Amino acid sequence: MRDAVIVEAVRTPIGKGKPGGALAHVHPVELLAHTLRTLVERSGVDPALIDDVIGGTVDQVGEQAMNTTRYAVLSAGFPDTVPATTVDRQCGSSQQAVHFAAQGVISGAYDIVVACGVESMSRVPMWSNVPAGKDPFGPGVAERYPEGLVPQGISAELIAAKWSITREQMDSFALSSHRKAAEAWTNGLFDAEVAPLEGVTRDECVRPDSTPEVLAGLRPAFHDPGFAERFPQIEWGVTAANSSPVNDGASAVLITSAETAARLGLRPLARLHSFAVTGSDPLLMLTGVIPATEKVLRRADLTVDDIDLFEVNEAFSSVVLAWQQETGADLTKVNVHGGAIALGHPLGASGTRLTTTLVHAMRARGARYALQTMCEAGGLANAMILEAA
């Protein structure tokens, strides 16, 4: 069986996903095209050799409709013979793109493939693909869950309640994310992964000066009287500060077979070792990272103690803290350069953003094994293990 390796990984800086954000003036196709151009420029790979480009985008409507990845390939100047497709596994869309790309290489279907993702939440706000008054779930789901499913913010609150995670713990975790991200920028640890765009050189949401007092003064972001009555266990500690923001950004990784990398003189950053996807309770929604982690470790014949670095998407502090309780992972190994709470969460781009940060962190820290996992709407999660190449 062939090995799949990552030979290059880049991302844009991440902007605030609202009008006036640093990247709000950039069309999402151009955000993704920028990472694709940078990817081939830095790697030196002839884009004509790329067998496929697999991209993740969540809100596939408006300026992100019509197979955004294909038009980003064309805008990037790749030959029109290079194919592309766009996938949706919600927040894990571009991590799923990595899985598909690597599995294609391992199977022999691809020699060189790009996995990537983009989301412009300033130009295409979340839920833009669900028109007012339309039901995306259907009557069968309503029958199965007669009390109704809930928004992600309520799921984050339910997770905090189930795992007895306090507001102070969630705020402390959020502050740590900002501190680590700020230190990484100061120490030049993002220089190798970030591709500046139109004068934007840094992530816009990192707040190194945040304090516990400032965070403690914020109101709960998702308080709702109806849900408070339905779920009396909720203590309403989830705020804008201990949740990920909405963002604009794009990211991409170049994946080849080990043989192709050697033939082209490319230096692998990491080998793609093992993969898992799983479903979980769609009411709690965001806990799939727990069984996904267990599943991928089992497939890899590794334990949590074998993993040197973790990237667990910081959709909410409560998600990562519940995951840590269940897995027993060492939090000092988790999101060592900060996570989505600080860096941002441009939905479709986040999977390959985490991968990009992770492979560069592996090299900087001499890690042998790393694990990435992401929670996803609907009660889903992806997980994968990388190994030093």
Side-chain angles (χ1 to χ4, degrees):
M1 187 169 65
R2 304 198 315 172
D3 281 343
V5 295
I6 296 172
V7 297
E8 188 56 85
V10 301
R11 68 177 179 90
T12 65
I14 299 172
K16 294 179 180 178
K18 54 187 176 182
L23 297 175
H25 64 291
V26 183
H27 192 287
V29 167
E30 299 309 310
L31 281 176
L32 185 53
H34 177 68
T35 65
L36 297 177
R37 279 191 296 269
T38 306
L39 196 71
V40 297
E41 288 168 1
R42 292 185 180 180
S43 67
V45 166
D46 180 353
L49 299 177
I50 295 171
D51 293 305
D52 206 354
V53 180
I54 306 171
T57 302
V58 174
D59 282 292
Q60 297 182 22
V61 67
E63 293 180 338
Q64 292 177 170
M66 299 289 292
N67 191 4
T68 292
T69 312
R70 169 59 173 169
Y71 294 100
V73 164
L74 297 175
S75 179
F78 289 12
D80 58 16
T81 53
V82 177
T85 191
T86 305
V87 300
D88 174 10
R89 202 190 283 273
Q90 295 294 281
C91 294
S93 295
S94 56
Q95 181 169 343
Q96 184 61 59
V98 173
H99 289 213
F100 284 155
Q103 289 157 359
V105 168
I106 291 166
S107 72
Y110 300 136
D111 291 317
I112 303 175
V113 59
V114 174
C116 57
V118 66
E119 205 83 27
S120 177
M121 301 178 78
S122 61
R123 301 172 73 102
V124 187
M126 193 159 48
W127 288 99
S128 292
N129 57 348
V130 182
K134 298 297 182 180
D135 171 19
F137 305 118
V141 171
E143 183 178 354
R144 183 168 178 173
Y145 301 96
E147 294 185 0
L149 297 175
V150 301
Q152 289 192 23
I154 301 302
S155 294
E157 289 282 11
L158 290 170
I159 291 167
K162 181 173 181 177
W163 276 271
S164 301
I165 300 166
T166 66
R167 164 76 177 268
E168 291 73 24
Q169 289 173 310
M170 290 188 281
D171 284 353
S172 177
F173 182 83
L175 287 168
S176 174
S177 184
H178 284 281
R179 176 185 54 76
K180 289 184 288 187
E183 288 178 358
W185 272 114
T186 297
N187 294 329
L189 297 176
F190 289 129
D191 293 351
E193 69 185 67
V194 170
L197 175 60
E198 297 189 13
V200 182
T201 60
R202 294 174 70 99
D203 302 311
E204 192 177 12
C205 290
V206 179
R207 299 188 300 274
D209 298 326
S210 292
T211 65
E213 294 74 23
V214 170
L215 269 60
L218 297 178
R219 295 180 179 180
F222 303 101
H223 183 268
D224 178 276
F227 286 126
E229 183 176 356
R230 180 179 169 186
F231 303 112
Q233 70 269 37
I234 290 179
E235 296 185 353
W236 304 105
V238 178
T239 70
N242 56 46
S243 311
S244 58
V246 295
N247 296 98
D248 300 340
S251 54
V253 300
L254 185 61
I255 298 171
T256 75
S257 67
E259 295 83 358
T260 300
R263 175 168 53 83
L264 296 178
L266 302 170
R267 183 185 181 189
L269 294 169
R271 180 173 80 91
L272 291 139
H273 186 289
S274 299
F275 310 91
V277 292
T278 190
S280 62
D281 179 358
L283 187 67
L284 287 174
M285 194 187 307
L286 310 172
T287 58
V289 291
I290 298 166
T293 297
E294 295 168 352
K295 188 174 183 180
V296 79
L297 286 169
R298 187 167 61 250
R299 285 189 169 172
D301 195 25
L302 297 170
T303 71
V304 71
D305 292 331
D306 293 318
I307 306 300
D308 300 302
L309 294 175
F310 298 89
E311 281 287 330
V312 184
N313 193 42
E314 294 175 3
F316 300 89
S317 289
S318 61
V319 171
V320 185
L321 293 172
W323 169 88
Q324 189 277 329
Q325 283 190 36
E326 291 294 324
T327 63
D330 181 350
L331 268 182
T332 65
K333 299 178 180 180
V334 178
N335 304 348
V336 293
H337 294 169
I341 287 173
L343 299 173
H345 184 14
L347 305 179
S350 286
T352 38
R353 197 286 297 166
L354 266 68
T355 305
T356 296
T357 299
L358 186 54
V359 295
H360 289 289
M362 288 176 70
R363 171 144 297 180
R365 293 169 180 259
R368 180 179 181 186
Y369 291 115
L371 187 153
Q372 174 179 328
T373 188
M374 302 185 70
C375 60
E376 299 146 5
L380 299 168
N382 281 58
M384 67 181 180
I385 290 174
L386 307 179
E387 182 180 12

